[in-house]
Amino acid sequence: RSFARFLLRFLGFIFWGTAAALVFGGVWVILTFKNYRYLFHESYLSLPGWLALATALILLPTGVLAVSISVKCSRNQQGTLMYLLLLLLCLEMSSAALARSYCIRTASQLESAMDYLVHQHNWTCSQDPGNSAVDALQRKLQCCGVHNYTDWLKASSSSCVPESCCKEKHYHCRGDLGHAEQLSEEGCLKKLEDQLCFAMLYVFWCCTVLGILELLAGVSNGILMRHQPFHSLRIL
């Protein structure tokens, strides 16, 4: 019983720390999909991030209850803690499952969306495309084309690529293939996939680890409730 009290108090403080980690992960996922919303038609892809924020919000009173119960047991507080732990477990497992499935789903959507943007881009060697979505993406990720710079050659049948394919350190680069060393070597597809999936997997592992900790908290709370049997059915 004394170990259950200690573990419940320790987990209460851990819940506050993991709430901050979930807020970071949730905001990260939401902002990432907001920045690249022109590549996705579905608005629900940021749902794991919103579920992570909701989980973090409920974790704060859950941590307070876990710490207070370890100091002084209260039947009402113990029952409330059990309900909150169950609610959190449902939210976290939903967020983890969605994050994992969306990571796989977005990979197949990205290639077709980026390929469409490249081939529909109105661009010639004598005219830089400017601040279009493709150029903004290539400048931000320091990439060129979907898989590499040859995607631009297939799309426009020209002997140069957009200036947004140039590396930042080469100020005089104009997308000339005669100076291929000045161009970004990696394609945008892999870089964007890695960025999106890393944010999703961060939320996935946070929710998974937190779910295990909540199961431990539920067991500890159950041990304390067992040593304090019901005297009436009023709690129901």
Side-chain angles (χ1 to χ4, degrees):
R1 185 180 178 182
S2 60
F3 178 74
R5 286 178 178 272
F6 168 78
L7 183 60
L8 198 58
R9 178 182 296 182
F10 175 74
L11 290 175
F13 291 112
I14 292 295
F15 287 161
W16 292 339
T18 52
L22 276 178
V23 168
F24 173 76
V27 172
W28 186 9
V29 169
I30 293 171
L31 291 181
T32 300
F33 279 98
K34 183 179 180 180
N35 292 335
Y36 302 109
R37 59 184 178 273
Y38 52 85
L39 294 173
F40 304 98
H41 300 290
E42 298 85 355
S43 58
Y44 58 80
L45 291 175
S46 59
L47 183 58
W50 290 108
L51 289 178
L53 291 181
T55 302
L57 185 63
I58 301 176
L59 270 176
L60 297 178
T62 303
V64 173
L65 281 175
V67 173
S68 62
I69 288 173
S70 64
V71 176
K72 183 179 179 180
C73 288
S74 170
R75 179 62 71 182
N76 293 331
Q77 290 180 350
Q78 289 172 333
T80 304
L81 179 61
M82 281 297 192
Y83 283 121
L84 288 179
L85 289 175
L86 181 60
L87 176 61
L88 285 172
L89 195 62
C90 293
L91 286 173
E92 289 157 7
M93 293 301 102
S94 299
S95 181
L98 289 175
R100 186 61 181 172
S101 62
Y102 288 174
C103 180
I104 300 174
R105 183 173 182 178
T106 53
S108 60
Q109 292 183 356
L110 274 177
E111 184 171 6
S112 60
M114 293 181 64
D115 188 68
Y116 175 79
L117 287 178
V118 168
H119 283 80
Q120 294 296 318
H121 200 50
N122 186 16
W123 166 81
T124 60
C125 290
S126 59
Q127 180 184 4
D128 184 65
N131 296 321
S132 65
V134 179
D135 292 295
L137 178 65
Q138 291 186 150
R139 289 192 179 97
K140 185 175 183 178
L141 299 181
Q142 281 296 288
C143 56
C144 186
V146 181
H147 301 284
N148 49 49
Y149 68 89
T150 58
D151 295 316
W152 284 107
L153 304 181
K154 298 174 184 176
S156 62
S157 300
S158 60
S159 58
C160 59
V161 296
E163 293 182 15
S164 56
C165 286
C166 297
K167 297 178 181 178
E168 290 183 347
K169 60 182 180 180
H170 297 291
Y171 301 103
H172 303 289
C173 174
R174 292 295 179 265
D176 186 6
L177 293 179
H179 301 281
E181 71 279 357
Q182 298 179 354
L183 305 177
S184 300
E185 300 174 357
E186 280 191 80
C188 298
L189 179 61
K190 186 178 185 306
K191 281 195 170 185
L192 189 54
E193 279 182 0
D194 293 342
Q195 185 175 341
L196 293 176
C197 283
F198 188 78
M200 287 291 192
L201 289 178
Y202 177 87
V203 172
F204 171 80
W205 285 113
C206 280
C207 291
T208 302
V209 172
L210 187 57
I212 296 174
L213 296 178
E214 286 169 0
L215 289 176
L216 293 176
V219 171
S220 301
N221 191 31
I223 292 175
L224 295 179
M225 294 177 73
R226 183 181 179 186
H227 287 276
Q228 187 184 3
F230 287 105
H231 298 289
S232 67
L233 298 179
R234 191 177 306 168
I235 186 61
L236 300 179

mmCIF file of all heavy atoms in Angstrom, residues 55-102:
data_model
loop_
_atom_site.group_PDB
_atom_site.id
_atom_site.type_symbol
_atom_site.label_atom_id
_atom_site.label_comp_id
_atom_site.label_asym_id
_atom_site.label_seq_id
_atom_site.Cartn_x
_atom_site.Cartn_y
_atom_site.Cartn_z
ATOM 1 N N THR A 55 -5.942 15.815 -24.470
ATOM 2 C CA THR A 55 -5.357 14.920 -23.475
ATOM 3 C C THR A 55 -4.498 15.686 -22.484
ATOM 4 O O THR A 55 -4.548 15.453 -21.267
ATOM 5 C CB THR A 55 -4.516 13.841 -24.177
ATOM 6 O OG1 THR A 55 -5.338 13.121 -25.101
ATOM 7 C CG2 THR A 55 -3.929 12.873 -23.175
ATOM 8 N N ALA A 56 -3.691 16.615 -22.996
ATOM 9 C CA ALA A 56 -2.825 17.413 -22.120
ATOM 10 C C ALA A 56 -3.653 18.249 -21.146
ATOM 11 O O ALA A 56 -3.267 18.419 -19.978
ATOM 12 C CB ALA A 56 -1.923 18.304 -22.959
ATOM 13 N N LEU A 57 -4.787 18.765 -21.604
ATOM 14 C CA LEU A 57 -5.642 19.588 -20.747
ATOM 15 C C LEU A 57 -6.224 18.768 -19.597
ATOM 16 O O LEU A 57 -6.272 19.226 -18.445
ATOM 17 C CB LEU A 57 -6.766 20.208 -21.582
ATOM 18 C CG LEU A 57 -7.689 21.195 -20.867
ATOM 19 C CD1 LEU A 57 -6.893 22.419 -20.393
ATOM 20 C CD2 LEU A 57 -8.827 21.630 -21.775
ATOM 21 N N ILE A 58 -6.629 17.527 -19.886
ATOM 22 C CA ILE A 58 -7.215 16.668 -18.850
ATOM 23 C C ILE A 58 -6.132 16.106 -17.930
ATOM 24 O O ILE A 58 -6.400 15.752 -16.776
ATOM 25 C CB ILE A 58 -8.020 15.535 -19.509
ATOM 26 C CG1 ILE A 58 -9.123 16.125 -20.394
ATOM 27 C CG2 ILE A 58 -8.640 14.610 -18.472
ATOM 28 C CD1 ILE A 58 -9.913 15.087 -21.159
ATOM 29 N N LEU A 59 -4.899 16.026 -18.418
ATOM 30 C CA LEU A 59 -3.813 15.495 -17.596
ATOM 31 C C LEU A 59 -3.518 16.373 -16.384
ATOM 32 O O LEU A 59 -3.054 15.872 -15.352
ATOM 33 C CB LEU A 59 -2.540 15.352 -18.439
ATOM 34 C CG LEU A 59 -2.326 14.016 -19.148
ATOM 35 C CD1 LEU A 59 -1.082 14.088 -20.016
ATOM 36 C CD2 LEU A 59 -2.214 12.874 -18.151
ATOM 37 N N LEU A 60 -3.760 17.677 -16.500
ATOM 38 C CA LEU A 60 -3.443 18.581 -15.389
ATOM 39 C C LEU A 60 -4.265 18.277 -14.136
ATOM 40 O O LEU A 60 -3.694 18.062 -13.059
ATOM 41 C CB LEU A 60 -3.632 20.029 -15.842
ATOM 42 C CG LEU A 60 -2.703 20.486 -16.980
ATOM 43 C CD1 LEU A 60 -3.016 21.921 -17.375
ATOM 44 C CD2 LEU A 60 -1.246 20.355 -16.562
ATOM 45 N N PRO A 61 -5.620 18.219 -14.209
ATOM 46 C CA PRO A 61 -6.370 17.845 -12.993
ATOM 47 C C PRO A 61 -6.133 16.400 -12.583
ATOM 48 O O PRO A 61 -6.227 16.075 -11.394
ATOM 49 C CB PRO A 61 -7.836 18.077 -13.397
ATOM 50 C CG PRO A 61 -7.846 18.014 -14.882
ATOM 51 C CD PRO A 61 -6.534 18.566 -15.320
ATOM 52 N N THR A 62 -5.805 15.531 -13.547
ATOM 53 C CA THR A 62 -5.513 14.140 -13.200
ATOM 54 C C THR A 62 -4.264 14.063 -12.329
ATOM 55 O O THR A 62 -4.208 13.306 -11.352
ATOM 56 C CB THR A 62 -5.315 13.303 -14.479
ATOM 57 O OG1 THR A 62 -6.474 13.416 -15.297
ATOM 58 C CG2 THR A 62 -5.091 11.845 -14.136
ATOM 59 N N GLY A 63 -3.238 14.834 -12.679
ATOM 60 C CA GLY A 63 -2.030 14.866 -11.856
ATOM 61 C C GLY A 63 -2.305 15.408 -10.460
ATOM 62 O O GLY A 63 -1.758 14.909 -9.466
ATOM 63 N N VAL A 64 -3.159 16.429 -10.357
ATOM 64 C CA VAL A 64 -3.508 16.992 -9.045
ATOM 65 C C VAL A 64 -4.207 15.945 -8.187
ATOM 66 O O VAL A 64 -3.908 15.786 -6.989
ATOM 67 C CB VAL A 64 -4.404 18.239 -9.226
ATOM 68 C CG1 VAL A 64 -4.921 18.733 -7.879
ATOM 69 C CG2 VAL A 64 -3.636 19.338 -9.931
ATOM 70 N N LEU A 65 -5.132 15.206 -8.786
ATOM 71 C CA LEU A 65 -5.842 14.161 -8.040
ATOM 72 C C LEU A 65 -4.888 13.052 -7.595
ATOM 73 O O LEU A 65 -4.978 12.557 -6.466
ATOM 74 C CB LEU A 65 -6.957 13.568 -8.905
ATOM 75 C CG LEU A 65 -8.256 14.373 -9.014
ATOM 76 C CD1 LEU A 65 -9.209 13.715 -9.998
ATOM 77 C CD2 LEU A 65 -8.923 14.494 -7.651
ATOM 78 N N ALA A 66 -3.969 12.650 -8.480
ATOM 79 C CA ALA A 66 -3.037 11.584 -8.140
ATOM 80 C C ALA A 66 -2.158 11.977 -6.959
ATOM 81 O O ALA A 66 -1.901 11.164 -6.062
ATOM 82 C CB ALA A 66 -2.176 11.233 -9.350
ATOM 83 N N VAL A 67 -1.705 13.229 -6.923
ATOM 84 C CA VAL A 67 -0.856 13.689 -5.813
ATOM 85 C C VAL A 67 -1.671 13.810 -4.525
ATOM 86 O O VAL A 67 -1.212 13.403 -3.448
ATOM 87 C CB VAL A 67 -0.190 15.032 -6.174
ATOM 88 C CG1 VAL A 67 0.546 15.602 -4.975
ATOM 89 C CG2 VAL A 67 0.775 14.843 -7.337
ATOM 90 N N SER A 68 -2.873 14.348 -4.615
ATOM 91 C CA SER A 68 -3.684 14.545 -3.406
ATOM 92 C C SER A 68 -4.141 13.221 -2.813
ATOM 93 O O SER A 68 -4.219 13.082 -1.590
ATOM 94 C CB SER A 68 -4.885 15.427 -3.729
ATOM 95 O OG SER A 68 -5.729 14.797 -4.704
ATOM 96 N N ILE A 69 -4.445 12.234 -3.655
ATOM 97 C CA ILE A 69 -4.875 10.919 -3.155
ATOM 98 C C ILE A 69 -3.736 10.233 -2.419
ATOM 99 O O ILE A 69 -3.940 9.530 -1.414
ATOM 100 C CB ILE A 69 -5.388 10.050 -4.322
ATOM 101 C CG1 ILE A 69 -6.738 10.573 -4.805
ATOM 102 C CG2 ILE A 69 -5.525 8.586 -3.903
ATOM 103 C CD1 ILE A 69 -7.242 9.896 -6.053
ATOM 104 N N SER A 70 -2.494 10.425 -2.913
ATOM 105 C CA SER A 70 -1.355 9.799 -2.247
ATOM 106 C C SER A 70 -1.108 10.394 -0.864
ATOM 107 O O SER A 70 -0.472 9.775 -0.019
ATOM 108 C CB SER A 70 -0.103 9.966 -3.108
ATOM 109 O OG SER A 70 0.236 11.336 -3.247
ATOM 110 N N VAL A 71 -1.617 11.611 -0.624
ATOM 111 C CA VAL A 71 -1.463 12.241 0.683
ATOM 112 C C VAL A 71 -2.615 11.846 1.612
ATOM 113 O O VAL A 71 -2.399 11.422 2.748
ATOM 114 C CB VAL A 71 -1.388 13.775 0.530
ATOM 115 C CG1 VAL A 71 -1.319 14.451 1.901
ATOM 116 C CG2 VAL A 71 -0.185 14.157 -0.310
ATOM 117 N N LYS A 72 -3.824 11.963 1.110
ATOM 118 C CA LYS A 72 -5.005 11.641 1.908
ATOM 119 C C LYS A 72 -6.046 10.999 1.013
ATOM 120 O O LYS A 72 -6.540 11.628 0.073
ATOM 121 C CB LYS A 72 -5.566 12.904 2.557
ATOM 122 C CG LYS A 72 -6.768 12.635 3.462
ATOM 123 C CD LYS A 72 -7.262 13.918 4.087
ATOM 124 C CE LYS A 72 -8.480 13.661 4.981
ATOM 125 N NZ LYS A 72 -8.985 14.915 5.597
ATOM 126 N N CYS A 73 -6.356 9.760 1.290
ATOM 127 C CA CYS A 73 -7.299 9.020 0.448
ATOM 128 C C CYS A 73 -8.716 9.553 0.631
ATOM 129 O O CYS A 73 -9.163 9.802 1.754
ATOM 130 C CB CYS A 73 -7.272 7.525 0.800
ATOM 131 S SG CYS A 73 -5.762 6.691 0.257
ATOM 132 N N SER A 74 -9.400 9.712 -0.476
ATOM 133 C CA SER A 74 -10.794 10.128 -0.474
ATOM 134 C C SER A 74 -11.523 9.291 -1.510
ATOM 135 O O SER A 74 -11.066 9.168 -2.644
ATOM 136 C CB SER A 74 -10.913 11.619 -0.799
ATOM 137 O OG SER A 74 -12.263 11.969 -1.032
ATOM 138 N N ARG A 75 -12.623 8.702 -1.109
ATOM 139 C CA ARG A 75 -13.347 7.818 -2.018
ATOM 140 C C ARG A 75 -13.822 8.578 -3.261
ATOM 141 O O ARG A 75 -13.748 8.052 -4.375
ATOM 142 C CB ARG A 75 -14.536 7.190 -1.284
ATOM 143 C CG ARG A 75 -15.383 6.269 -2.139
ATOM 144 C CD ARG A 75 -14.594 5.084 -2.635
ATOM 145 N NE ARG A 75 -14.301 4.151 -1.563
ATOM 146 C CZ ARG A 75 -13.592 3.035 -1.704
ATOM 147 N NH1 ARG A 75 -13.071 2.756 -2.882
ATOM 148 N NH2 ARG A 75 -13.384 2.228 -0.690
ATOM 149 N N ASN A 76 -14.299 9.796 -3.080
ATOM 150 C CA ASN A 76 -14.757 10.576 -4.228
ATOM 151 C C ASN A 76 -13.607 10.891 -5.183
ATOM 152 O O ASN A 76 -13.747 10.813 -6.399
ATOM 153 C CB ASN A 76 -15.415 11.871 -3.757
ATOM 154 C CG ASN A 76 -16.713 11.629 -3.012
ATOM 155 O OD1 ASN A 76 -17.397 10.642 -3.266
ATOM 156 N ND2 ASN A 76 -17.040 12.512 -2.084
ATOM 157 N N GLN A 77 -12.464 11.270 -4.634
ATOM 158 C CA GLN A 77 -11.314 11.579 -5.468
ATOM 159 C C GLN A 77 -10.796 10.335 -6.191
ATOM 160 O O GLN A 77 -10.408 10.397 -7.355
ATOM 161 C CB GLN A 77 -10.192 12.185 -4.609
ATOM 162 C CG GLN A 77 -10.497 13.566 -4.094
ATOM 163 C CD GLN A 77 -9.364 14.132 -3.260
ATOM 164 O OE1 GLN A 77 -8.418 13.428 -2.909
ATOM 165 N NE2 GLN A 77 -9.458 15.412 -2.938
ATOM 166 N N GLN A 78 -10.810 9.200 -5.501
ATOM 167 C CA GLN A 78 -10.361 7.957 -6.128
ATOM 168 C C GLN A 78 -11.258 7.555 -7.294
ATOM 169 O O GLN A 78 -10.779 7.133 -8.348
ATOM 170 C CB GLN A 78 -10.311 6.843 -5.083
ATOM 171 C CG GLN A 78 -9.194 7.004 -4.072
ATOM 172 C CD GLN A 78 -9.284 5.993 -2.948
ATOM 173 O OE1 GLN A 78 -10.367 5.499 -2.611
ATOM 174 N NE2 GLN A 78 -8.148 5.698 -2.341
ATOM 175 N N GLY A 79 -12.567 7.697 -7.092
ATOM 176 C CA GLY A 79 -13.482 7.372 -8.183
ATOM 177 C C GLY A 79 -13.337 8.325 -9.361
ATOM 178 O O GLY A 79 -13.340 7.906 -10.518
ATOM 179 N N THR A 80 -13.176 9.625 -9.060
ATOM 180 C CA THR A 80 -12.980 10.605 -10.135
ATOM 181 C C THR A 80 -11.703 10.332 -10.905
ATOM 182 O O THR A 80 -11.664 10.454 -12.138
ATOM 183 C CB THR A 80 -12.945 12.029 -9.547
ATOM 184 O OG1 THR A 80 -14.146 12.257 -8.810
ATOM 185 C CG2 THR A 80 -12.821 13.062 -10.653
ATOM 186 N N LEU A 81 -10.645 9.951 -10.174
ATOM 187 C CA LEU A 81 -9.374 9.648 -10.838
ATOM 188 C C LEU A 81 -9.522 8.468 -11.786
ATOM 189 O O LEU A 81 -8.973 8.486 -12.900
ATOM 190 C CB LEU A 81 -8.296 9.359 -9.796
ATOM 191 C CG LEU A 81 -6.913 8.996 -10.350
ATOM 192 C CD1 LEU A 81 -6.344 10.137 -11.183
ATOM 193 C CD2 LEU A 81 -5.956 8.625 -9.217
ATOM 194 N N MET A 82 -10.267 7.461 -11.374
ATOM 195 C CA MET A 82 -10.467 6.295 -12.246
ATOM 196 C C MET A 82 -11.196 6.685 -13.531
ATOM 197 O O MET A 82 -10.838 6.236 -14.620
ATOM 198 C CB MET A 82 -11.252 5.212 -11.505
ATOM 199 C CG MET A 82 -10.423 4.383 -10.546
ATOM 200 S SD MET A 82 -9.133 3.460 -11.413
ATOM 201 C CE MET A 82 -8.605 2.341 -10.119
ATOM 202 N N TYR A 83 -12.214 7.530 -13.409
ATOM 203 C CA TYR A 83 -12.952 7.973 -14.593
ATOM 204 C C TYR A 83 -12.050 8.788 -15.526
ATOM 205 O O TYR A 83 -12.088 8.620 -16.751
ATOM 206 C CB TYR A 83 -14.166 8.810 -14.182
ATOM 207 C CG TYR A 83 -15.323 7.993 -13.664
ATOM 208 C CD1 TYR A 83 -15.824 8.192 -12.378
ATOM 209 C CD2 TYR A 83 -15.930 7.025 -14.459
ATOM 210 C CE1 TYR A 83 -16.880 7.443 -11.888
ATOM 211 C CE2 TYR A 83 -17.000 6.272 -13.982
ATOM 212 C CZ TYR A 83 -17.469 6.486 -12.700
ATOM 213 O OH TYR A 83 -18.512 5.737 -12.232
ATOM 214 N N LEU A 84 -11.237 9.671 -14.950
ATOM 215 C CA LEU A 84 -10.335 10.484 -15.771
ATOM 216 C C LEU A 84 -9.287 9.628 -16.461
ATOM 217 O O LEU A 84 -8.935 9.866 -17.623
ATOM 218 C CB LEU A 84 -9.656 11.551 -14.906
ATOM 219 C CG LEU A 84 -10.537 12.707 -14.441
ATOM 220 C CD1 LEU A 84 -9.744 13.670 -13.575
ATOM 221 C CD2 LEU A 84 -11.143 13.449 -15.625
ATOM 222 N N LEU A 85 -8.769 8.634 -15.754
ATOM 223 C CA LEU A 85 -7.772 7.745 -16.366
ATOM 224 C C LEU A 85 -8.376 6.970 -17.540
ATOM 225 O O LEU A 85 -7.722 6.758 -18.560
ATOM 226 C CB LEU A 85 -7.218 6.776 -15.316
ATOM 227 C CG LEU A 85 -6.297 7.378 -14.257
ATOM 228 C CD1 LEU A 85 -5.926 6.326 -13.216
ATOM 229 C CD2 LEU A 85 -5.047 7.963 -14.888
ATOM 230 N N LEU A 86 -9.624 6.547 -17.384
ATOM 231 C CA LEU A 86 -10.295 5.833 -18.469
ATOM 232 C C LEU A 86 -10.523 6.748 -19.669
ATOM 233 O O LEU A 86 -10.301 6.352 -20.825
ATOM 234 C CB LEU A 86 -11.627 5.266 -17.975
ATOM 235 C CG LEU A 86 -12.455 4.460 -18.993
ATOM 236 C CD1 LEU A 86 -11.671 3.250 -19.486
ATOM 237 C CD2 LEU A 86 -13.784 4.032 -18.408
ATOM 238 N N LEU A 87 -10.939 7.989 -19.404
ATOM 239 C CA LEU A 87 -11.139 8.952 -20.482
ATOM 240 C C LEU A 87 -9.827 9.261 -21.199
ATOM 241 O O LEU A 87 -9.765 9.316 -22.436
ATOM 242 C CB LEU A 87 -11.747 10.236 -19.908
ATOM 243 C CG LEU A 87 -11.942 11.398 -20.886
ATOM 244 C CD1 LEU A 87 -12.892 11.009 -22.020
ATOM 245 C CD2 LEU A 87 -12.465 12.628 -20.160
ATOM 246 N N LEU A 88 -8.764 9.446 -20.426
ATOM 247 C CA LEU A 88 -7.455 9.718 -21.018
ATOM 248 C C LEU A 88 -6.962 8.554 -21.861
ATOM 249 O O LEU A 88 -6.367 8.747 -22.927
ATOM 250 C CB LEU A 88 -6.444 10.027 -19.908
ATOM 251 C CG LEU A 88 -6.550 11.396 -19.252
ATOM 252 C CD1 LEU A 88 -5.631 11.476 -18.042
ATOM 253 C CD2 LEU A 88 -6.197 12.497 -20.239
ATOM 254 N N LEU A 89 -7.201 7.350 -21.381
ATOM 255 C CA LEU A 89 -6.757 6.177 -22.132
ATOM 256 C C LEU A 89 -7.457 6.090 -23.484
ATOM 257 O O LEU A 89 -6.832 5.760 -24.500
ATOM 258 C CB LEU A 89 -7.021 4.910 -21.314
ATOM 259 C CG LEU A 89 -6.314 3.638 -21.764
ATOM 260 C CD1 LEU A 89 -4.802 3.802 -21.686
ATOM 261 C CD2 LEU A 89 -6.758 2.442 -20.936
ATOM 262 N N CYS A 90 -8.743 6.417 -23.514
ATOM 263 C CA CYS A 90 -9.486 6.412 -24.779
ATOM 264 C C CYS A 90 -8.945 7.484 -25.731
ATOM 265 O O CYS A 90 -8.752 7.224 -26.929
ATOM 266 C CB CYS A 90 -10.971 6.645 -24.522
ATOM 267 S SG CYS A 90 -11.794 5.311 -23.630
ATOM 268 N N LEU A 91 -8.693 8.690 -25.213
ATOM 269 C CA LEU A 91 -8.180 9.771 -26.050
ATOM 270 C C LEU A 91 -6.798 9.444 -26.600
ATOM 271 O O LEU A 91 -6.507 9.672 -27.778
ATOM 272 C CB LEU A 91 -8.124 11.068 -25.245
ATOM 273 C CG LEU A 91 -9.448 11.779 -24.953
ATOM 274 C CD1 LEU A 91 -9.231 12.952 -24.016
ATOM 275 C CD2 LEU A 91 -10.100 12.252 -26.244
ATOM 276 N N GLU A 92 -5.943 8.899 -25.742
ATOM 277 C CA GLU A 92 -4.564 8.622 -26.168
ATOM 278 C C GLU A 92 -4.495 7.491 -27.180
ATOM 279 O O GLU A 92 -3.739 7.577 -28.160
ATOM 280 C CB GLU A 92 -3.704 8.273 -24.952
ATOM 281 C CG GLU A 92 -3.436 9.452 -24.065
ATOM 282 C CD GLU A 92 -3.101 9.059 -22.647
ATOM 283 O OE1 GLU A 92 -2.944 7.842 -22.395
ATOM 284 O OE2 GLU A 92 -3.005 9.942 -21.801
ATOM 285 N N MET A 93 -5.249 6.446 -26.967
ATOM 286 C CA MET A 93 -5.224 5.349 -27.924
ATOM 287 C C MET A 93 -5.806 5.784 -29.267
ATOM 288 O O MET A 93 -5.337 5.363 -30.326
ATOM 289 C CB MET A 93 -5.991 4.143 -27.368
ATOM 290 C CG MET A 93 -5.321 3.491 -26.162
ATOM 291 S SD MET A 93 -3.642 2.902 -26.495
ATOM 292 C CE MET A 93 -2.657 4.205 -25.729
ATOM 293 N N SER A 94 -6.823 6.654 -29.224
ATOM 294 C CA SER A 94 -7.381 7.181 -30.477
ATOM 295 C C SER A 94 -6.355 8.047 -31.196
ATOM 296 O O SER A 94 -6.162 7.926 -32.414
ATOM 297 C CB SER A 94 -8.641 7.996 -30.190
ATOM 298 O OG SER A 94 -9.635 7.199 -29.582
ATOM 299 N N SER A 95 -5.691 8.912 -30.450
ATOM 300 C CA SER A 95 -4.677 9.780 -31.052
ATOM 301 C C SER A 95 -3.518 8.976 -31.609
ATOM 302 O O SER A 95 -3.020 9.253 -32.707
ATOM 303 C CB SER A 95 -4.172 10.781 -30.010
ATOM 304 O OG SER A 95 -3.211 11.644 -30.572
ATOM 305 N N ALA A 96 -3.069 7.951 -30.870
ATOM 306 C CA ALA A 96 -1.947 7.129 -31.332
ATOM 307 C C ALA A 96 -2.320 6.350 -32.590
ATOM 308 O O ALA A 96 -1.532 6.267 -33.543
ATOM 309 C CB ALA A 96 -1.516 6.170 -30.220
ATOM 310 N N ALA A 97 -3.524 5.785 -32.615
ATOM 311 C CA ALA A 97 -3.957 5.012 -33.786
ATOM 312 C C ALA A 97 -4.102 5.903 -35.017
ATOM 313 O O ALA A 97 -3.685 5.528 -36.123
ATOM 314 C CB ALA A 97 -5.276 4.303 -33.479
ATOM 315 N N LEU A 98 -4.681 7.098 -34.838
ATOM 316 C CA LEU A 98 -4.841 8.021 -35.967
ATOM 317 C C LEU A 98 -3.484 8.520 -36.465
ATOM 318 O O LEU A 98 -3.265 8.627 -37.675
ATOM 319 C CB LEU A 98 -5.708 9.203 -35.547
ATOM 320 C CG LEU A 98 -7.193 8.914 -35.327
ATOM 321 C CD1 LEU A 98 -7.902 10.155 -34.799
ATOM 322 C CD2 LEU A 98 -7.847 8.445 -36.612
ATOM 323 N N ALA A 99 -2.581 8.824 -35.541
ATOM 324 C CA ALA A 99 -1.262 9.313 -35.942
ATOM 325 C C ALA A 99 -0.521 8.264 -36.756
ATOM 326 O O ALA A 99 0.127 8.582 -37.767
ATOM 327 C CB ALA A 99 -0.451 9.705 -34.705
ATOM 328 N N ARG A 100 -0.611 7.018 -36.336
ATOM 329 C CA ARG A 100 0.075 5.951 -37.066
ATOM 330 C C ARG A 100 -0.527 5.722 -38.447
ATOM 331 O O ARG A 100 0.190 5.575 -39.443
ATOM 332 C CB ARG A 100 0.007 4.657 -36.248
ATOM 333 C CG ARG A 100 0.803 3.501 -36.822
ATOM 334 C CD ARG A 100 2.275 3.839 -36.893
ATOM 335 N NE ARG A 100 3.035 2.743 -37.464
ATOM 336 C CZ ARG A 100 4.307 2.832 -37.786
ATOM 337 N NH1 ARG A 100 4.967 3.962 -37.597
ATOM 338 N NH2 ARG A 100 4.941 1.797 -38.309
ATOM 339 N N SER A 101 -1.855 5.708 -38.524
ATOM 340 C CA SER A 101 -2.505 5.455 -39.808
ATOM 341 C C SER A 101 -2.346 6.639 -40.765
ATOM 342 O O SER A 101 -2.149 6.450 -41.968
ATOM 343 C CB SER A 101 -3.994 5.152 -39.590
ATOM 344 O OG SER A 101 -4.653 6.261 -39.009
ATOM 345 N N TYR A 102 -2.416 7.873 -40.237
ATOM 346 C CA TYR A 102 -2.257 9.048 -41.093
ATOM 347 C C TYR A 102 -0.844 9.164 -41.630
ATOM 348 O O TYR A 102 -0.632 9.665 -42.736
ATOM 349 C CB TYR A 102 -2.620 10.313 -40.326
ATOM 350 C CG TYR A 102 -4.103 10.484 -40.072
ATOM 351 C CD1 TYR A 102 -4.597 11.515 -39.288
ATOM 352 C CD2 TYR A 102 -5.028 9.587 -40.625
ATOM 353 C CE1 TYR A 102 -5.950 11.663 -39.059
ATOM 354 C CE2 TYR A 102 -6.372 9.730 -40.394
ATOM 355 C CZ TYR A 102 -6.839 10.770 -39.605
ATOM 356 O OH TYR A 102 -8.182 10.917 -39.376
#
